[in-house]
Amino acid sequence: RQVLQEENEIDRAVLAYVLRLLSAVAANSAANRMDAKNLSLLFGPIIFRAPANASLNSSLSDIPSVCSLVYLFITEYARIFE
């Protein structure tokens, strides 16, 4: 929560909105086959894109951590954002 509080208000609001949507999609995974893990693999690298000057190796090595973070945000949305 503390790290999120350091972000500007607009970025934080957009992130919360997207993650609330992903949380709702994951809650219906029995019907849509998109659970939190699949969503985090798909959207993690998009939401937390590496800087333009980052090397390819660095960007690729960060993907597992980014996906784990997005998975946590999706599964614990209410605890983190509400």
Side-chain angles (χ1 to χ4, degrees), residues 36-51 54-72:
K37 182 178 179 186
N38 289 339
L39 291 166
S40 68
L41 291 172
L42 178 63
F43 287 97
I46 295 168
I47 294 171
F48 294 106
R49 186 177 58 191
S55 71
L56 179 60
N57 286 339
S58 172
S59 298
L60 291 176
S61 67
D62 289 343
I63 288 176
S65 298
V66 165
C67 292
S68 294
L69 178 62
V70 172
Y71 177 83
L72 177 70

Side-chain angles (χ1 to χ4, degrees), residues 3-24:
V3 172
L4 290 173
Q5 295 303 321
E6 294 172 7
E7 292 299 317
N8 77 51
E9 188 176 335
I10 294 172
D11 289 346
R12 191 172 52 249
V14 171
L15 178 63
Y17 181 85
V18 169
L19 291 170
R20 181 177 52 190
L21 174 65
L22 295 178
S23 181

